[in-house]
């Protein structure tokens, strides 16, 4: 009887140990599998992905994410409700340089050697005077990251565009430019705004702002226009906004308006109105002197504080939007 009892105990101990080992193995396997699932994988794609002459027709309604998958057939990831992207790499693509307006590092090559994360930033819908409907898909490219994050304070998000026109029940791609230039910080492009600059002539403005950690952000106004067969930057205006400064310190902001005076059918002029406040800095870590717009530099040398407005006009010279005439400056509450 005692031998039988010991035999039963032996069997129970063996079964328990096997069960424990099995559970531990399963937990380790699940943990490893989960860790692998969390790592963003790259899919190698063909160099046709960058061909600006690609054609694509989408049945109405056009789904932005699904359309992005057809243009960039990589691996689709949904890391969160606001972080959906395609991860891809092109070994046969010929990398080309593009401009990052931050100007901190040497202009990068695209596609990135490490791989690319492509996100649909937004879809801009508009209709011209004849009732033609268009959709502009706005893409944001950033360097591949195993966690699917976007990093680099002075790394802009690379802007790409795909324009679709509606023809009956089909959306047909009319232009495709996967990489234009990089704007913004932490590999994320600023919001694009539709601007009508002529008769059924549309462009896109964006405000690029960046600066050191804890310091003021100086913003630039950019205008992206379809010109000579491709979308490109035709305006760069500095001192558009100063933000993130200490409370009560120097700051300013601007607005723009397209001049429709009947003199220009296309590439109409812009007026820029800047309003702000200047206060001489105390020289502390939280309140240090900032570089003022050149129109205000002399006044800032002799006065402690003042409010101001600056009005500028920009005109297209056939290649670029430039300031014409002398900016009009007005001062208020001078001390």
């Amino acid at each position: 009887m005692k031998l039988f009892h010991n035999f039963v105990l032996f069997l129970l101990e063996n079964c328990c140990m096997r069960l424990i080992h099995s559970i531990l193995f399963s937990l380790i396997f699940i943990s490893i599998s989960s860790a692998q699932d969390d790592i963003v994988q790259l899919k190698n794609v063909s160099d046709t992905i960058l061909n600006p002459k690609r054609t694509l027709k989408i049945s109405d309604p056009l789904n932005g994410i699904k359309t992005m998958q057809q243009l960039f057939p990589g691996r689709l990831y949904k890391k969160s409700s606001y972080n959906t992207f395609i991860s891809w790499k092109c070994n046969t693509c010929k990398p080309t340089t593009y401009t990052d307006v931050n100007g901190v590092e040497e202009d990068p090559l695209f596609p990135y050697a490490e791989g690319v994360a492509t996100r649909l930033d937004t879809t801009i819908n508009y209709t011209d005077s004849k009732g033609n409907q268009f959709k502009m898909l706005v893409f944001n490219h950033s360097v591949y990251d195993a966690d699917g994050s976007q990093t680099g304070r002075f790394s802009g998000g690379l802007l790409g565009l795909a324009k679709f026109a509606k023809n009956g029940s089909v959306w047909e791609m009319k232009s495709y430019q996967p990489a234009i230039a990089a704007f913004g910080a932490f590999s994320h492009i600023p919001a694009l705004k539709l601007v009508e600059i002529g008769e059924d002539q549309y462009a896109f403005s964006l405000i690029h702002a960046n600066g050191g950690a804890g310091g003021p952000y100086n913003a630039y106004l950019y205008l992206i226009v379809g010109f000579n067969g491709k979308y490109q930057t035709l305006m760069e205006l500095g001192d558009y906004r100063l933000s993130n400064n200490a409370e009560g310190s120097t700051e300013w902001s601007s607005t723009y308006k397209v001049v429709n005076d009947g003199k220009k059918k296309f590439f109409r002029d812009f007026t820029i109105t800047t309003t702000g406040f200047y206060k001489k800095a105390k020289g502390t870590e939280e309140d240090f002197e900032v570089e003022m717009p050149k129109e205000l530099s002399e006044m800032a040398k002799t006065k402690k504080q003042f409010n101001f407005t600056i009005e500028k006009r920009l005109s297209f010279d056939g290649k670029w939007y430039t300031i014409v005439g002398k900016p009009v400056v007005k001062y208020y509450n001078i001390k």
Side-chain angles (χ1 to χ4, degrees), residues 7-25:
F7 179 69
V8 170
L9 286 176
F10 173 77
L11 287 177
L12 287 173
E13 286 176 1
N14 256 326
C15 289
C16 288
M17 287 302 294
R18 287 179 182 178
L19 181 62
I20 291 170
H21 285 154
S22 178
I23 292 171
L24 285 173
F25 178 79

Side-chain angles (χ1 to χ4, degrees), residues 38-57:
D38 287 339
I39 296 174
V40 174
Q41 304 295 318
L42 288 164
K43 180 178 179 180
N44 191 38
V45 299
S46 166
D47 56 8
T48 57
I49 197 171
L50 302 181
N51 186 354
K53 296 181 180 180
R54 289 175 69 182
T55 59
L56 182 61
K57 293 182 179 181

Side-chain angles (χ1 to χ4, degrees), residues 113-124:
E114 304 94 322
V116 184
T118 297
R119 293 168 172 83
L120 177 65
D121 184 76
T122 189
T123 300
I124 299 174

Side-chain angles (χ1 to χ4, degrees), residues 97-110:
T97 59
Y98 67 87
T99 300
D100 187 328
V101 300
N102 285 288
V104 174
E105 301 176 0
E106 186 177 349
D107 286 336
L109 290 169
F110 183 80

Side-chain angles (χ1 to χ4, degrees), residues 159 161 180-181 183 192 202-206 222-226 231-235:
L159 169 66
L161 297 174
I180 299 172
F183 306 90
L192 269 66
Y202 296 90
F204 303 92
S205 69
L206 63 87
Y222 286 90
L223 190 71
I224 310 296
V225 188
Y231 283 96
Q232 55 186 297
T233 303
L234 295 184
M235 180 195 295

